[in-house]
Amino acid sequence: MSRRTEEIPQNDHDPTGTAKAEPDGDRPEGLAKPATATTDGLAKPAAAKTADGAEPATATAEGPGETADDAGSLTDPSSDRQRPARSWEAVRHLLVRLHFYAGVLVAPFLLVAALTGLAYTFTPQLDQLLYGDQLRVERVGDEPRPLAEQIAAARAAYPEGTVASVVTPPDPEDTTRVVLAVPELGEKQRTVFVDPYTAEVRGELTTWFGSTPLTTWLDDLHRNLNLGETGRLYSEVAASWLGVTVLGGLVLWLGRSRGQRAKSARGALLPDRKARGVRRTRSWHAATGVWLALALLFLSATGLTWSNYAGERFGRLLDAANGNAPALDTALPGAQAPVEDHSEHAGHGGGEATADADPADFDAALTAARDAGLGGTVVVTPAADAASAWAVAQNDNVWPVHYDRVAVDATSGEITSRTYWADHPALSKLSKLGVQGHMGVLFGVVNQIVLALVALGLTAVIVWGYRMWWQRRPTRADRRALVGRAPERGAWRRLPLPVLVLGIPAVIALGWALPVLGVTLAGFLVVDVVVGAVRRQRRTA
């Protein structure tokens, strides 16, 4: 069969840049590359570069623009199909195709997650800007008034519902938060803000787990595009594929840097300034991805912990490994039945009490907790019933965090139970700290700046990825297209047996742990097989 080829200005047929070639910047514009040998030993004609730096594709004699068949080799459709040879190079080709399609199909989800996450990063500053009158006092006084007096002022202004909890001010210039459970608000609450020095009510907001309306809206936008449970699929798709895309890109780029560019860290960490066209874009895309890799993997993992399906799997892991936070026993001594404690979200839930607790008991519980060593901002939650103790929990999310909790008998002021942050299992600590880091509060302003830079960097990586796709498009008048051709199909058929034996169970396990990833990957494989069958049928027709 003839292997005659013709030059067609199209895409760069080396998506990862692994082909041995001299840098673009070392060759005068318009001059062709030296001829290279093909897999069958015949010479491949030199390719002239197009104006935008992309290289022409080749077309076989069977048809214009035809590339490798499903096995990755150029064979005559009318001849007997030969079994493709297995090689480790097929692993790279499979990663190229997977990385390409993951980028093309999942990048829109990632872009939305990056932009909404960027907006959410600045919620502390936005809250102060919009709700400063409620969140801050006019003047810092000498000593705060008793909680009972502050609660009485809040109840006088807003008598609906019951007091679910009281949150003490994080800083001297902050207000006290009296959280009311109001039935008509559902899972949300009414939070009344009181000046701790004058007991003056500064205002109220409808909150959700302690978040202001703006923060709640941006949080929903980031998690589910404000579409409820259905919209959460978008964020789980993004979080599931983000890690796969990052790891695949790292393998491809680091392998390319070691084989083609300088054998040093500079070749992997810095873009190639001499390159032009698609190779220049690729170098910026990949080098930036290397710098962001650890942060993106962190965001992927922590985001999945509270996703719908992968989060449920993670919960099972915590249960199996005894990795959950220790429960605070709120049953009073001698009580017949212990009451389950939900103080992980103490002060943020709606509460189930049907009548207000005595405001003076809030002061008694707070005093006992302070004497027990609980400093900083704390959440005071009244007892669920007469057989239960009050719960007082530290709520300091900035490193070093403070999450100690105590159960208090408000009548006697006795500490009946206590849990220490130091006693939390390692998985519980990692999960808690990971969530706070993902939300941008763990290290304060530094955490916010890092997340903002990561979001901007991810946005740039996505834009460069789509630009590469556009730069690899065919440009000859009779073969124009909007974007470049996808990498070759069928690389999985040439994978070495050890890769198949180990890889298939690993992929199945990953698909179980990350169900959305498993379903979308299976869908991709089905579509890929169907498209390949249709193309083979057309070639043989």
Side-chain angles (χ1 to χ4, degrees), residues 289-470:
V290 171
W291 282 98
L292 298 178
L294 285 179
L296 294 177
L297 291 174
F298 167 80
L299 293 176
S300 173
T302 52
L304 287 170
T305 59
W306 72 80
S307 61
N308 265 350
Y309 301 102
E312 186 268 340
R313 298 288 198 269
F314 181 71
R316 291 189 195 179
L317 173 63
L318 289 178
D319 292 339
N322 294 321
N324 289 299
L328 180 67
D329 183 7
T330 56
L332 290 174
Q336 294 183 355
V339 179
E340 183 180 357
D341 169 65
H342 296 283
S343 54
E344 272 296 309
H345 297 297
H348 304 305
E352 299 295 336
T354 57
D356 275 344
D358 185 350
D361 287 343
F362 281 88
D363 286 297
L366 178 61
T367 299
R370 294 299 192 200
D371 292 341
L374 269 65
T377 180
V378 297
V379 181
V380 183
T381 304
D385 51 47
S388 302
W390 289 52
V392 183
Q394 288 181 317
N395 194 32
D396 186 356
N397 296 317
V398 180
W399 187 265
V401 299
H402 297 92
Y403 295 130
D404 290 353
R405 298 177 295 166
V406 295
V408 181
D409 184 346
T411 302
S412 64
E414 177 187 358
I415 302 297
T416 62
S417 179
R418 180 167 187 165
T419 63
Y420 295 90
W421 168 246
D423 295 334
H424 285 226
L427 278 176
S428 173
K429 288 183 177 179
L430 290 174
S431 175
K432 182 74 172 180
L433 296 178
V435 167
Q436 301 304 326
H438 188 111
M439 297 175 66
V441 300
L442 184 58
F443 299 107
V445 176
V446 173
N447 202 158
Q448 291 180 266
I449 294 173
V450 171
L451 287 182
L453 292 176
V454 171
L456 292 173
L458 178 58
T459 301
V461 167
I462 293 170
V463 171
W464 283 323
Y466 279 112
R467 176 173 171 78
M468 282 192 293
W469 193 23
W470 175 78

Side-chain angles (χ1 to χ4, degrees), residues 186-541:
E187 65 176 2
K188 294 185 177 180
Q189 308 85 38
R190 172 173 293 129
T191 298
V192 183
F193 299 86
V194 182
D195 187 326
Y197 307 106
T198 64
E200 174 191 359
V201 174
R202 302 283 296 168
E204 64 86 25
L205 293 172
T206 299
T207 57
W208 182 73
F209 290 99
S211 298
T212 66
L214 175 64
T215 298
T216 301
W217 188 85
L218 288 175
D219 178 62
D220 282 340
L221 182 66
H222 181 62
R223 289 189 305 123
N224 56 40
L225 299 179
N226 289 313
L227 297 177
E229 291 301 313
T230 302
R232 291 188 68 179
L233 284 173
Y234 119 83
S235 59
E236 189 159 356
V237 167
S240 299
W241 278 97
L242 177 59
V244 174
T245 306
V246 170
L247 290 175
L250 281 176
V251 171
L252 293 172
W253 180 246
L254 295 179
R256 172 194 183 276
S257 299
R258 185 177 64 252
Q260 181 177 352
R261 299 180 63 193
K263 296 182 179 180
S264 66
R266 185 183 184 280
L269 298 177
L270 298 178
D272 187 358
R273 296 182 179 180
K274 295 182 180 180
R276 287 175 293 179
V278 68
R279 284 188 172 84
R280 182 182 182 88
T281 306
R282 183 193 298 121
S283 69
W284 279 99
H285 170 87
T288 304
V290 171
W291 282 98
L292 298 178
L294 285 179
L296 294 177
L297 291 174
F298 167 80
L299 293 176
S300 173
T302 52
L304 287 170
T305 59
W306 72 80
S307 61
N308 265 350
Y309 301 102
E312 186 268 340
R313 298 288 198 269
F314 181 71
R316 291 189 195 179
L317 173 63
L318 289 178
D319 292 339
N322 294 321
N324 289 299
L328 180 67
D329 183 7
T330 56
L332 290 174
Q336 294 183 355
V339 179
E340 183 180 357
D341 169 65
H342 296 283
S343 54
E344 272 296 309
H345 297 297
H348 304 305
E352 299 295 336
T354 57
D356 275 344
D358 185 350
D361 287 343
F362 281 88
D363 286 297
L366 178 61
T367 299
R370 294 299 192 200
D371 292 341
L374 269 65
T377 180
V378 297
V379 181
V380 183
T381 304
D385 51 47
S388 302
W390 289 52
V392 183
Q394 288 181 317
N395 194 32
D396 186 356
N397 296 317
V398 180
W399 187 265
V401 299
H402 297 92
Y403 295 130
D404 290 353
R405 298 177 295 166
V406 295
V408 181
D409 184 346
T411 302
S412 64
E414 177 187 358
I415 302 297
T416 62
S417 179
R418 180 167 187 165
T419 63
Y420 295 90
W421 168 246
D423 295 334
H424 285 226
L427 278 176
S428 173
K429 288 183 177 179
L430 290 174
S431 175
K432 182 74 172 180
L433 296 178
V435 167
Q436 301 304 326
H438 188 111
M439 297 175 66
V441 300
L442 184 58
F443 299 107
V445 176
V446 173
N447 202 158
Q448 291 180 266
I449 294 173
V450 171
L451 287 182
L453 292 176
V454 171
L456 292 173
L458 178 58
T459 301
V461 167
I462 293 170
V463 171
W464 283 323
Y466 279 112
R467 176 173 171 78
M468 282 192 293
W469 193 23
W470 175 78
Q471 286 176 311
R472 295 174 54 244
R473 72 197 186 283
T475 55
R476 211 177 79 173
D478 59 342
R479 303 186 191 279
R480 292 187 181 278
L482 293 177
V483 293
R485 181 178 298 152
E488 64 171 337
R489 297 184 64 256
W492 66 271
R493 299 183 182 182
R494 294 177 283 130
L495 292 175
L497 288 177
V499 174
L500 291 175
V501 171
L502 298 176
I504 291 177
V507 171
I508 293 175
L510 184 63
W512 178 88
L514 308 178
V516 171
L517 174 66
V519 170
T520 52
L521 178 60
F524 162 72
L525 293 176
V526 170
V527 172
D528 201 41
V529 169
V530 171
V531 170
V534 171
R535 288 181 177 177
R536 286 195 299 272
Q537 185 176 8
R538 288 178 178 177
R539 286 200 299 265
T540 56

